[in-house]
Amino acid sequence: MNKTERIAEEIIKIAYDKGGLVNGESLTEEQIKATNDNAINYVMRFYGDFSGDRENGYYYGLNEKGFELGRRGFFSGEEKERLRQRKGVNIAIITSVASAIIAIIAIVVDYFK
């Protein structure tokens, strides 16, 4: 997980834990400044929307994709799921190759009987 995802994940987690809406006052100054970064802002807008302004109240609310991300364990959960799937594919490939080798050995042994 890169720095952009890590910072965005922190804020998205806070919103998720608060039922999907977080007031800017609940964020640290560092987190608020981070939302001005284009990459972090882009990731956060994919999973929710900002409303208001800093003088009158600043909110971040999750959309359906944000709630789904939370249910899946955020970015770190997605990473674990990708690793699990990749291991499953590798195991399937190894099993297939091993089965083919065993079949070839069985054919060769039968041929030389």
PDB file of all heavy atoms in Angstrom, residues 67-107:
ATOM      1  N   PHE A  67     -18.462   2.522   1.374  1.00  0.00           N
ATOM      2  CA  PHE A  67     -18.978   1.544   2.326  1.00  0.00           C
ATOM      3  C   PHE A  67     -18.529   0.136   1.951  1.00  0.00           C
ATOM      4  O   PHE A  67     -18.164  -0.669   2.807  1.00  0.00           O
ATOM      5  CB  PHE A  67     -20.509   1.611   2.410  1.00  0.00           C
ATOM      6  CG  PHE A  67     -21.008   2.760   3.236  1.00  0.00           C
ATOM      7  CD1 PHE A  67     -21.612   3.848   2.628  1.00  0.00           C
ATOM      8  CD2 PHE A  67     -20.868   2.765   4.609  1.00  0.00           C
ATOM      9  CE1 PHE A  67     -22.076   4.917   3.382  1.00  0.00           C
ATOM     10  CE2 PHE A  67     -21.329   3.822   5.385  1.00  0.00           C
ATOM     11  CZ  PHE A  67     -21.932   4.903   4.759  1.00  0.00           C
ATOM     12  N   GLU A  68     -18.525  -0.156   0.650  1.00  0.00           N
ATOM     13  CA  GLU A  68     -18.072  -1.471   0.189  1.00  0.00           C
ATOM     14  C   GLU A  68     -16.592  -1.672   0.510  1.00  0.00           C
ATOM     15  O   GLU A  68     -16.185  -2.752   0.938  1.00  0.00           O
ATOM     16  CB  GLU A  68     -18.317  -1.617  -1.318  1.00  0.00           C
ATOM     17  CG  GLU A  68     -17.952  -2.972  -1.874  1.00  0.00           C
ATOM     18  CD  GLU A  68     -18.753  -4.122  -1.284  1.00  0.00           C
ATOM     19  OE1 GLU A  68     -19.921  -3.905  -0.889  1.00  0.00           O
ATOM     20  OE2 GLU A  68     -18.206  -5.229  -1.197  1.00  0.00           O
ATOM     21  N   LEU A  69     -15.793  -0.632   0.314  1.00  0.00           N
ATOM     22  CA  LEU A  69     -14.371  -0.696   0.654  1.00  0.00           C
ATOM     23  C   LEU A  69     -14.196  -1.012   2.142  1.00  0.00           C
ATOM     24  O   LEU A  69     -13.376  -1.848   2.517  1.00  0.00           O
ATOM     25  CB  LEU A  69     -13.672   0.623   0.308  1.00  0.00           C
ATOM     26  CG  LEU A  69     -12.182   0.698   0.603  1.00  0.00           C
ATOM     27  CD1 LEU A  69     -11.404  -0.195  -0.353  1.00  0.00           C
ATOM     28  CD2 LEU A  69     -11.696   2.134   0.496  1.00  0.00           C
ATOM     29  N   GLY A  70     -14.989  -0.383   2.987  1.00  0.00           N
ATOM     30  CA  GLY A  70     -14.932  -0.638   4.418  1.00  0.00           C
ATOM     31  C   GLY A  70     -15.315  -2.067   4.764  1.00  0.00           C
ATOM     32  O   GLY A  70     -14.670  -2.716   5.587  1.00  0.00           O
ATOM     33  N   ARG A  71     -16.351  -2.570   4.112  1.00  0.00           N
ATOM     34  CA  ARG A  71     -16.779  -3.948   4.373  1.00  0.00           C
ATOM     35  C   ARG A  71     -15.707  -4.958   3.955  1.00  0.00           C
ATOM     36  O   ARG A  71     -15.590  -6.022   4.553  1.00  0.00           O
ATOM     37  CB  ARG A  71     -18.092  -4.244   3.649  1.00  0.00           C
ATOM     38  CG  ARG A  71     -19.299  -3.590   4.295  1.00  0.00           C
ATOM     39  CD  ARG A  71     -20.597  -4.087   3.683  1.00  0.00           C
ATOM     40  NE  ARG A  71     -20.856  -3.552   2.366  1.00  0.00           N
ATOM     41  CZ  ARG A  71     -21.479  -2.400   2.110  1.00  0.00           C
ATOM     42  NH1 ARG A  71     -21.907  -1.658   3.118  1.00  0.00           N
ATOM     43  NH2 ARG A  71     -21.678  -1.996   0.887  1.00  0.00           N
ATOM     44  N   ARG A  72     -14.934  -4.626   2.929  1.00  0.00           N
ATOM     45  CA  ARG A  72     -13.883  -5.536   2.439  1.00  0.00           C
ATOM     46  C   ARG A  72     -12.582  -5.385   3.208  1.00  0.00           C
ATOM     47  O   ARG A  72     -11.621  -6.088   2.926  1.00  0.00           O
ATOM     48  CB  ARG A  72     -13.621  -5.286   0.954  1.00  0.00           C
ATOM     49  CG  ARG A  72     -14.732  -5.777   0.058  1.00  0.00           C
ATOM     50  CD  ARG A  72     -14.306  -5.774  -1.387  1.00  0.00           C
ATOM     51  NE  ARG A  72     -13.587  -4.588  -1.775  1.00  0.00           N
ATOM     52  CZ  ARG A  72     -14.048  -3.646  -2.576  1.00  0.00           C
ATOM     53  NH1 ARG A  72     -15.231  -3.744  -3.097  1.00  0.00           N
ATOM     54  NH2 ARG A  72     -13.302  -2.602  -2.867  1.00  0.00           N
ATOM     55  N   GLY A  73     -12.504  -4.465   4.155  1.00  0.00           N
ATOM     56  CA  GLY A  73     -11.289  -4.305   4.946  1.00  0.00           C
ATOM     57  C   GLY A  73     -10.372  -3.213   4.456  1.00  0.00           C
ATOM     58  O   GLY A  73      -9.179  -3.241   4.738  1.00  0.00           O
ATOM     59  N   PHE A  74     -10.914  -2.260   3.700  1.00  0.00           N
ATOM     60  CA  PHE A  74     -10.151  -1.118   3.182  1.00  0.00           C
ATOM     61  C   PHE A  74      -9.050  -1.602   2.244  1.00  0.00           C
ATOM     62  O   PHE A  74      -9.089  -2.717   1.766  1.00  0.00           O
ATOM     63  CB  PHE A  74      -9.639  -0.238   4.321  1.00  0.00           C
ATOM     64  CG  PHE A  74     -10.751   0.270   5.200  1.00  0.00           C
ATOM     65  CD1 PHE A  74     -11.060  -0.359   6.387  1.00  0.00           C
ATOM     66  CD2 PHE A  74     -11.519   1.348   4.797  1.00  0.00           C
ATOM     67  CE1 PHE A  74     -12.116   0.084   7.177  1.00  0.00           C
ATOM     68  CE2 PHE A  74     -12.568   1.802   5.585  1.00  0.00           C
ATOM     69  CZ  PHE A  74     -12.858   1.171   6.767  1.00  0.00           C
ATOM     70  N   PHE A  75      -8.066  -0.762   1.976  1.00  0.00           N
ATOM     71  CA  PHE A  75      -7.029  -1.104   1.006  1.00  0.00           C
ATOM     72  C   PHE A  75      -6.190  -2.285   1.466  1.00  0.00           C
ATOM     73  O   PHE A  75      -5.822  -3.143   0.675  1.00  0.00           O
ATOM     74  CB  PHE A  75      -6.129   0.103   0.717  1.00  0.00           C
ATOM     75  CG  PHE A  75      -6.859   1.243   0.081  1.00  0.00           C
ATOM     76  CD1 PHE A  75      -6.945   2.469   0.718  1.00  0.00           C
ATOM     77  CD2 PHE A  75      -7.466   1.106  -1.152  1.00  0.00           C
ATOM     78  CE1 PHE A  75      -7.625   3.524   0.143  1.00  0.00           C
ATOM     79  CE2 PHE A  75      -8.150   2.156  -1.738  1.00  0.00           C
ATOM     80  CZ  PHE A  75      -8.237   3.374  -1.085  1.00  0.00           C
ATOM     81  N   SER A  76      -5.893  -2.344   2.761  1.00  0.00           N
ATOM     82  CA  SER A  76      -5.083  -3.448   3.266  1.00  0.00           C
ATOM     83  C   SER A  76      -5.840  -4.772   3.127  1.00  0.00           C
ATOM     84  O   SER A  76      -5.245  -5.806   2.839  1.00  0.00           O
ATOM     85  CB  SER A  76      -4.666  -3.202   4.716  1.00  0.00           C
ATOM     86  OG  SER A  76      -5.779  -2.867   5.504  1.00  0.00           O
ATOM     87  N   GLY A  77      -7.142  -4.756   3.314  1.00  0.00           N
ATOM     88  CA  GLY A  77      -7.955  -5.955   3.123  1.00  0.00           C
ATOM     89  C   GLY A  77      -7.990  -6.389   1.674  1.00  0.00           C
ATOM     90  O   GLY A  77      -7.948  -7.581   1.359  1.00  0.00           O
ATOM     91  N   GLU A  78      -8.066  -5.412   0.759  1.00  0.00           N
ATOM     92  CA  GLU A  78      -8.043  -5.738  -0.667  1.00  0.00           C
ATOM     93  C   GLU A  78      -6.703  -6.342  -1.066  1.00  0.00           C
ATOM     94  O   GLU A  78      -6.645  -7.262  -1.867  1.00  0.00           O
ATOM     95  CB  GLU A  78      -8.321  -4.495  -1.509  1.00  0.00           C
ATOM     96  CG  GLU A  78      -9.760  -4.058  -1.482  1.00  0.00           C
ATOM     97  CD  GLU A  78     -10.036  -2.907  -2.417  1.00  0.00           C
ATOM     98  OE1 GLU A  78      -9.109  -2.146  -2.749  1.00  0.00           O
ATOM     99  OE2 GLU A  78     -11.191  -2.790  -2.839  1.00  0.00           O
ATOM    100  N   GLU A  79      -5.628  -5.804  -0.492  1.00  0.00           N
ATOM    101  CA  GLU A  79      -4.299  -6.342  -0.777  1.00  0.00           C
ATOM    102  C   GLU A  79      -4.208  -7.797  -0.336  1.00  0.00           C
ATOM    103  O   GLU A  79      -3.701  -8.646  -1.063  1.00  0.00           O
ATOM    104  CB  GLU A  79      -3.244  -5.513  -0.033  1.00  0.00           C
ATOM    105  CG  GLU A  79      -2.246  -4.856  -0.935  1.00  0.00           C
ATOM    106  CD  GLU A  79      -1.287  -3.980  -0.151  1.00  0.00           C
ATOM    107  OE1 GLU A  79      -0.432  -4.531   0.567  1.00  0.00           O
ATOM    108  OE2 GLU A  79      -1.401  -2.754  -0.287  1.00  0.00           O
ATOM    109  N   LYS A  80      -4.702  -8.087   0.857  1.00  0.00           N
ATOM    110  CA  LYS A  80      -4.687  -9.458   1.366  1.00  0.00           C
ATOM    111  C   LYS A  80      -5.516 -10.373   0.471  1.00  0.00           C
ATOM    112  O   LYS A  80      -5.128 -11.516   0.208  1.00  0.00           O
ATOM    113  CB  LYS A  80      -5.223  -9.500   2.795  1.00  0.00           C
ATOM    114  CG  LYS A  80      -4.287  -8.907   3.818  1.00  0.00           C
ATOM    115  CD  LYS A  80      -4.909  -8.896   5.191  1.00  0.00           C
ATOM    116  CE  LYS A  80      -4.031  -8.155   6.181  1.00  0.00           C
ATOM    117  NZ  LYS A  80      -4.685  -8.018   7.488  1.00  0.00           N
ATOM    118  N   GLU A  81      -6.654  -9.881   0.000  1.00  0.00           N
ATOM    119  CA  GLU A  81      -7.514 -10.680  -0.875  1.00  0.00           C
ATOM    120  C   GLU A  81      -6.819 -10.963  -2.201  1.00  0.00           C
ATOM    121  O   GLU A  81      -6.878 -12.089  -2.715  1.00  0.00           O
ATOM    122  CB  GLU A  81      -8.851  -9.966  -1.112  1.00  0.00           C
ATOM    123  CG  GLU A  81      -9.805 -10.701  -2.018  1.00  0.00           C
ATOM    124  CD  GLU A  81     -10.240 -12.054  -1.498  1.00  0.00           C
ATOM    125  OE1 GLU A  81     -10.137 -12.304  -0.284  1.00  0.00           O
ATOM    126  OE2 GLU A  81     -10.672 -12.888  -2.313  1.00  0.00           O
ATOM    127  N   ARG A  82      -6.145  -9.962  -2.770  1.00  0.00           N
ATOM    128  CA  ARG A  82      -5.408 -10.179  -4.026  1.00  0.00           C
ATOM    129  C   ARG A  82      -4.310 -11.218  -3.833  1.00  0.00           C
ATOM    130  O   ARG A  82      -4.104 -12.093  -4.682  1.00  0.00           O
ATOM    131  CB  ARG A  82      -4.812  -8.869  -4.532  1.00  0.00           C
ATOM    132  CG  ARG A  82      -5.787  -7.996  -5.272  1.00  0.00           C
ATOM    133  CD  ARG A  82      -5.085  -6.876  -6.020  1.00  0.00           C
ATOM    134  NE  ARG A  82      -4.352  -5.964  -5.161  1.00  0.00           N
ATOM    135  CZ  ARG A  82      -4.855  -4.868  -4.616  1.00  0.00           C
ATOM    136  NH1 ARG A  82      -6.111  -4.536  -4.837  1.00  0.00           N
ATOM    137  NH2 ARG A  82      -4.120  -4.095  -3.848  1.00  0.00           N
ATOM    138  N   LEU A  83      -3.593 -11.150  -2.704  1.00  0.00           N
ATOM    139  CA  LEU A  83      -2.554 -12.137  -2.419  1.00  0.00           C
ATOM    140  C   LEU A  83      -3.148 -13.535  -2.286  1.00  0.00           C
ATOM    141  O   LEU A  83      -2.594 -14.507  -2.797  1.00  0.00           O
ATOM    142  CB  LEU A  83      -1.807 -11.777  -1.135  1.00  0.00           C
ATOM    143  CG  LEU A  83      -0.727 -10.723  -1.253  1.00  0.00           C
ATOM    144  CD1 LEU A  83      -0.189 -10.361   0.132  1.00  0.00           C
ATOM    145  CD2 LEU A  83       0.412 -11.213  -2.119  1.00  0.00           C
ATOM    146  N   ARG A  84      -4.270 -13.630  -1.608  1.00  0.00           N
ATOM    147  CA  ARG A  84      -4.929 -14.922  -1.429  1.00  0.00           C
ATOM    148  C   ARG A  84      -5.348 -15.500  -2.776  1.00  0.00           C
ATOM    149  O   ARG A  84      -5.144 -16.689  -3.052  1.00  0.00           O
ATOM    150  CB  ARG A  84      -6.151 -14.775  -0.512  1.00  0.00           C
ATOM    151  CG  ARG A  84      -6.763 -16.092  -0.085  1.00  0.00           C
ATOM    152  CD  ARG A  84      -8.052 -15.884   0.686  1.00  0.00           C
ATOM    153  NE  ARG A  84      -9.119 -15.330  -0.107  1.00  0.00           N
ATOM    154  CZ  ARG A  84      -9.814 -15.998  -1.034  1.00  0.00           C
ATOM    155  NH1 ARG A  84      -9.516 -17.242  -1.300  1.00  0.00           N
ATOM    156  NH2 ARG A  84     -10.795 -15.425  -1.692  1.00  0.00           N
ATOM    157  N   GLN A  85      -5.914 -14.659  -3.637  1.00  0.00           N
ATOM    158  CA  GLN A  85      -6.326 -15.124  -4.962  1.00  0.00           C
ATOM    159  C   GLN A  85      -5.124 -15.544  -5.798  1.00  0.00           C
ATOM    160  O   GLN A  85      -5.173 -16.549  -6.507  1.00  0.00           O
ATOM    161  CB  GLN A  85      -7.120 -14.041  -5.678  1.00  0.00           C
ATOM    162  CG  GLN A  85      -8.499 -13.840  -5.112  1.00  0.00           C
ATOM    163  CD  GLN A  85      -9.239 -12.701  -5.769  1.00  0.00           C
ATOM    164  OE1 GLN A  85      -8.683 -11.962  -6.567  1.00  0.00           O
ATOM    165  NE2 GLN A  85     -10.502 -12.552  -5.423  1.00  0.00           N
ATOM    166  N   ARG A  86      -4.045 -14.763  -5.723  1.00  0.00           N
ATOM    167  CA  ARG A  86      -2.841 -15.093  -6.481  1.00  0.00           C
ATOM    168  C   ARG A  86      -2.265 -16.428  -6.021  1.00  0.00           C
ATOM    169  O   ARG A  86      -1.843 -17.246  -6.838  1.00  0.00           O
ATOM    170  CB  ARG A  86      -1.799 -13.984  -6.308  1.00  0.00           C
ATOM    171  CG  ARG A  86      -0.784 -13.944  -7.412  1.00  0.00           C
ATOM    172  CD  ARG A  86       0.140 -12.742  -7.344  1.00  0.00           C
ATOM    173  NE  ARG A  86      -0.553 -11.480  -7.228  1.00  0.00           N
ATOM    174  CZ  ARG A  86      -0.222 -10.509  -6.378  1.00  0.00           C
ATOM    175  NH1 ARG A  86       0.798 -10.650  -5.569  1.00  0.00           N
ATOM    176  NH2 ARG A  86      -0.903  -9.391  -6.342  1.00  0.00           N
ATOM    177  N   LYS A  87      -2.261 -16.683  -4.703  1.00  0.00           N
ATOM    178  CA  LYS A  87      -1.783 -17.962  -4.190  1.00  0.00           C
ATOM    179  C   LYS A  87      -2.660 -19.102  -4.691  1.00  0.00           C
ATOM    180  O   LYS A  87      -2.157 -20.163  -5.047  1.00  0.00           O
ATOM    181  CB  LYS A  87      -1.776 -17.953  -2.663  1.00  0.00           C
ATOM    182  CG  LYS A  87      -0.643 -17.180  -2.054  1.00  0.00           C
ATOM    183  CD  LYS A  87      -0.710 -17.222  -0.536  1.00  0.00           C
ATOM    184  CE  LYS A  87       0.360 -16.347   0.075  1.00  0.00           C
ATOM    185  NZ  LYS A  87       0.247 -16.308   1.555  1.00  0.00           N
ATOM    186  N   GLY A  88      -3.967 -18.868  -4.720  1.00  0.00           N
ATOM    187  CA  GLY A  88      -4.892 -19.889  -5.205  1.00  0.00           C
ATOM    188  C   GLY A  88      -4.638 -20.233  -6.661  1.00  0.00           C
ATOM    189  O   GLY A  88      -4.653 -21.409  -7.054  1.00  0.00           O
ATOM    190  N   VAL A  89      -4.379 -19.226  -7.474  1.00  0.00           N
ATOM    191  CA  VAL A  89      -4.087 -19.458  -8.889  1.00  0.00           C
ATOM    192  C   VAL A  89      -2.785 -20.228  -9.030  1.00  0.00           C
ATOM    193  O   VAL A  89      -2.695 -21.185  -9.807  1.00  0.00           O
ATOM    194  CB  VAL A  89      -4.021 -18.109  -9.659  1.00  0.00           C
ATOM    195  CG1 VAL A  89      -3.430 -18.294 -11.039  1.00  0.00           C
ATOM    196  CG2 VAL A  89      -5.404 -17.489  -9.747  1.00  0.00           C
ATOM    197  N   ASN A  90      -1.773 -19.834  -8.270  1.00  0.00           N
ATOM    198  CA  ASN A  90      -0.486 -20.533  -8.330  1.00  0.00           C
ATOM    199  C   ASN A  90      -0.620 -21.991  -7.912  1.00  0.00           C
ATOM    200  O   ASN A  90      -0.032 -22.878  -8.534  1.00  0.00           O
ATOM    201  CB  ASN A  90       0.558 -19.828  -7.466  1.00  0.00           C
ATOM    202  CG  ASN A  90       0.976 -18.498  -8.047  1.00  0.00           C
ATOM    203  OD1 ASN A  90       0.774 -18.229  -9.228  1.00  0.00           O
ATOM    204  ND2 ASN A  90       1.565 -17.647  -7.219  1.00  0.00           N
ATOM    205  N   ILE A  91      -1.383 -22.255  -6.882  1.00  0.00           N
ATOM    206  CA  ILE A  91      -1.598 -23.631  -6.429  1.00  0.00           C
ATOM    207  C   ILE A  91      -2.318 -24.432  -7.505  1.00  0.00           C
ATOM    208  O   ILE A  91      -1.970 -25.591  -7.766  1.00  0.00           O
ATOM    209  CB  ILE A  91      -2.365 -23.649  -5.088  1.00  0.00           C
ATOM    210  CG1 ILE A  91      -1.461 -23.139  -3.969  1.00  0.00           C
ATOM    211  CG2 ILE A  91      -2.875 -25.049  -4.759  1.00  0.00           C
ATOM    212  CD1 ILE A  91      -2.170 -22.896  -2.656  1.00  0.00           C
ATOM    213  N   ALA A  92      -3.296 -23.829  -8.156  1.00  0.00           N
ATOM    214  CA  ALA A  92      -4.025 -24.515  -9.226  1.00  0.00           C
ATOM    215  C   ALA A  92      -3.088 -24.855 -10.389  1.00  0.00           C
ATOM    216  O   ALA A  92      -3.163 -25.954 -10.957  1.00  0.00           O
ATOM    217  CB  ALA A  92      -5.186 -23.656  -9.701  1.00  0.00           C
ATOM    218  N   ILE A  93      -2.215 -23.940 -10.739  1.00  0.00           N
ATOM    219  CA  ILE A  93      -1.269 -24.182 -11.836  1.00  0.00           C
ATOM    220  C   ILE A  93      -0.312 -25.307 -11.463  1.00  0.00           C
ATOM    221  O   ILE A  93      -0.073 -26.225 -12.260  1.00  0.00           O
ATOM    222  CB  ILE A  93      -0.494 -22.891 -12.183  1.00  0.00           C
ATOM    223  CG1 ILE A  93      -1.445 -21.879 -12.834  1.00  0.00           C
ATOM    224  CG2 ILE A  93       0.687 -23.188 -13.093  1.00  0.00           C
ATOM    225  CD1 ILE A  93      -0.846 -20.491 -12.997  1.00  0.00           C
ATOM    226  N   ILE A  94       0.231 -25.262 -10.261  1.00  0.00           N
ATOM    227  CA  ILE A  94       1.161 -26.304  -9.813  1.00  0.00           C
ATOM    228  C   ILE A  94       0.480 -27.662  -9.794  1.00  0.00           C
ATOM    229  O   ILE A  94       1.046 -28.668 -10.228  1.00  0.00           O
ATOM    230  CB  ILE A  94       1.747 -25.946  -8.426  1.00  0.00           C
ATOM    231  CG1 ILE A  94       2.683 -24.738  -8.559  1.00  0.00           C
ATOM    232  CG2 ILE A  94       2.468 -27.130  -7.802  1.00  0.00           C
ATOM    233  CD1 ILE A  94       3.094 -24.126  -7.242  1.00  0.00           C
ATOM    234  N   THR A  95      -0.757 -27.700  -9.309  1.00  0.00           N
ATOM    235  CA  THR A  95      -1.508 -28.957  -9.266  1.00  0.00           C
ATOM    236  C   THR A  95      -1.736 -29.499 -10.673  1.00  0.00           C
ATOM    237  O   THR A  95      -1.589 -30.701 -10.917  1.00  0.00           O
ATOM    238  CB  THR A  95      -2.853 -28.744  -8.546  1.00  0.00           C
ATOM    239  OG1 THR A  95      -2.594 -28.226  -7.241  1.00  0.00           O
ATOM    240  CG2 THR A  95      -3.637 -30.027  -8.439  1.00  0.00           C
ATOM    241  N   SER A  96      -2.080 -28.618 -11.610  1.00  0.00           N
ATOM    242  CA  SER A  96      -2.304 -29.046 -12.992  1.00  0.00           C
ATOM    243  C   SER A  96      -1.031 -29.595 -13.619  1.00  0.00           C
ATOM    244  O   SER A  96      -1.059 -30.633 -14.288  1.00  0.00           O
ATOM    245  CB  SER A  96      -2.817 -27.876 -13.832  1.00  0.00           C
ATOM    246  OG  SER A  96      -4.053 -27.436 -13.357  1.00  0.00           O
ATOM    247  N   VAL A  97       0.082 -28.916 -13.416  1.00  0.00           N
ATOM    248  CA  VAL A  97       1.365 -29.380 -13.963  1.00  0.00           C
ATOM    249  C   VAL A  97       1.750 -30.719 -13.344  1.00  0.00           C
ATOM    250  O   VAL A  97       2.189 -31.635 -14.045  1.00  0.00           O
ATOM    251  CB  VAL A  97       2.462 -28.308 -13.750  1.00  0.00           C
ATOM    252  CG1 VAL A  97       3.834 -28.857 -14.082  1.00  0.00           C
ATOM    253  CG2 VAL A  97       2.164 -27.076 -14.581  1.00  0.00           C
ATOM    254  N   ALA A  98       1.579 -30.845 -12.029  1.00  0.00           N
ATOM    255  CA  ALA A  98       1.909 -32.098 -11.354  1.00  0.00           C
ATOM    256  C   ALA A  98       1.039 -33.236 -11.878  1.00  0.00           C
ATOM    257  O   ALA A  98       1.529 -34.349 -12.120  1.00  0.00           O
ATOM    258  CB  ALA A  98       1.748 -31.944  -9.844  1.00  0.00           C
ATOM    259  N   SER A  99      -0.246 -32.981 -12.098  1.00  0.00           N
ATOM    260  CA  SER A  99      -1.143 -34.002 -12.635  1.00  0.00           C
ATOM    261  C   SER A  99      -0.712 -34.423 -14.034  1.00  0.00           C
ATOM    262  O   SER A  99      -0.741 -35.612 -14.372  1.00  0.00           O
ATOM    263  CB  SER A  99      -2.581 -33.480 -12.675  1.00  0.00           C
ATOM    264  OG  SER A  99      -3.044 -33.225 -11.380  1.00  0.00           O
ATOM    265  N   ALA A 100      -0.314 -33.458 -14.854  1.00  0.00           N
ATOM    266  CA  ALA A 100       0.136 -33.768 -16.212  1.00  0.00           C
ATOM    267  C   ALA A 100       1.407 -34.614 -16.174  1.00  0.00           C
ATOM    268  O   ALA A 100       1.535 -35.583 -16.943  1.00  0.00           O
ATOM    269  CB  ALA A 100       0.376 -32.478 -16.989  1.00  0.00           C
ATOM    270  N   ILE A 101       2.335 -34.274 -15.289  1.00  0.00           N
ATOM    271  CA  ILE A 101       3.579 -35.049 -15.172  1.00  0.00           C
ATOM    272  C   ILE A 101       3.275 -36.473 -14.726  1.00  0.00           C
ATOM    273  O   ILE A 101       3.827 -37.443 -15.276  1.00  0.00           O
ATOM    274  CB  ILE A 101       4.557 -34.345 -14.199  1.00  0.00           C
ATOM    275  CG1 ILE A 101       5.076 -33.057 -14.840  1.00  0.00           C
ATOM    276  CG2 ILE A 101       5.717 -35.272 -13.832  1.00  0.00           C
ATOM    277  CD1 ILE A 101       5.860 -32.162 -13.895  1.00  0.00           C
ATOM    278  N   ILE A 102       2.395 -36.637 -13.758  1.00  0.00           N
ATOM    279  CA  ILE A 102       2.031 -37.976 -13.272  1.00  0.00           C
ATOM    280  C   ILE A 102       1.367 -38.776 -14.390  1.00  0.00           C
ATOM    281  O   ILE A 102       1.653 -39.969 -14.569  1.00  0.00           O
ATOM    282  CB  ILE A 102       1.122 -37.873 -12.036  1.00  0.00           C
ATOM    283  CG1 ILE A 102       1.930 -37.340 -10.846  1.00  0.00           C
ATOM    284  CG2 ILE A 102       0.488 -39.222 -11.691  1.00  0.00           C
ATOM    285  CD1 ILE A 102       1.106 -36.973  -9.641  1.00  0.00           C
ATOM    286  N   ALA A 103       0.507 -38.121 -15.163  1.00  0.00           N
ATOM    287  CA  ALA A 103      -0.150 -38.815 -16.277  1.00  0.00           C
ATOM    288  C   ALA A 103       0.878 -39.257 -17.319  1.00  0.00           C
ATOM    289  O   ALA A 103       0.803 -40.382 -17.841  1.00  0.00           O
ATOM    290  CB  ALA A 103      -1.191 -37.907 -16.909  1.00  0.00           C
ATOM    291  N   ILE A 104       1.839 -38.414 -17.618  1.00  0.00           N
ATOM    292  CA  ILE A 104       2.875 -38.762 -18.597  1.00  0.00           C
ATOM    293  C   ILE A 104       3.716 -39.925 -18.082  1.00  0.00           C
ATOM    294  O   ILE A 104       4.022 -40.868 -18.827  1.00  0.00           O
ATOM    295  CB  ILE A 104       3.760 -37.528 -18.910  1.00  0.00           C
ATOM    296  CG1 ILE A 104       2.942 -36.502 -19.691  1.00  0.00           C
ATOM    297  CG2 ILE A 104       5.015 -37.927 -19.666  1.00  0.00           C
ATOM    298  CD1 ILE A 104       3.623 -35.153 -19.849  1.00  0.00           C
ATOM    299  N   ILE A 105       4.071 -39.894 -16.808  1.00  0.00           N
ATOM    300  CA  ILE A 105       4.849 -40.991 -16.214  1.00  0.00           C
ATOM    301  C   ILE A 105       4.062 -42.292 -16.291  1.00  0.00           C
ATOM    302  O   ILE A 105       4.610 -43.350 -16.633  1.00  0.00           O
ATOM    303  CB  ILE A 105       5.254 -40.653 -14.764  1.00  0.00           C
ATOM    304  CG1 ILE A 105       6.289 -39.519 -14.757  1.00  0.00           C
ATOM    305  CG2 ILE A 105       5.792 -41.896 -14.030  1.00  0.00           C
ATOM    306  CD1 ILE A 105       6.602 -38.954 -13.376  1.00  0.00           C
ATOM    307  N   ALA A 106       2.773 -42.223 -15.972  1.00  0.00           N
ATOM    308  CA  ALA A 106       1.931 -43.421 -16.025  1.00  0.00           C
ATOM    309  C   ALA A 106       1.861 -43.974 -17.447  1.00  0.00           C
ATOM    310  O   ALA A 106       1.929 -45.209 -17.646  1.00  0.00           O
ATOM    311  CB  ALA A 106       0.535 -43.104 -15.510  1.00  0.00           C
ATOM    312  N   ILE A 107       1.753 -43.114 -18.435  1.00  0.00           N
ATOM    313  CA  ILE A 107       1.706 -43.558 -19.840  1.00  0.00           C
ATOM    314  C   ILE A 107       3.028 -44.209 -20.238  1.00  0.00           C
ATOM    315  O   ILE A 107       3.061 -45.268 -20.870  1.00  0.00           O
ATOM    316  CB  ILE A 107       1.357 -42.374 -20.761  1.00  0.00           C
ATOM    317  CG1 ILE A 107      -0.081 -41.941 -20.530  1.00  0.00           C
ATOM    318  CG2 ILE A 107       1.590 -42.732 -22.231  1.00  0.00           C
ATOM    319  CD1 ILE A 107      -0.468 -40.638 -21.208  1.00  0.00           C
TER     320      ILE A 107
END
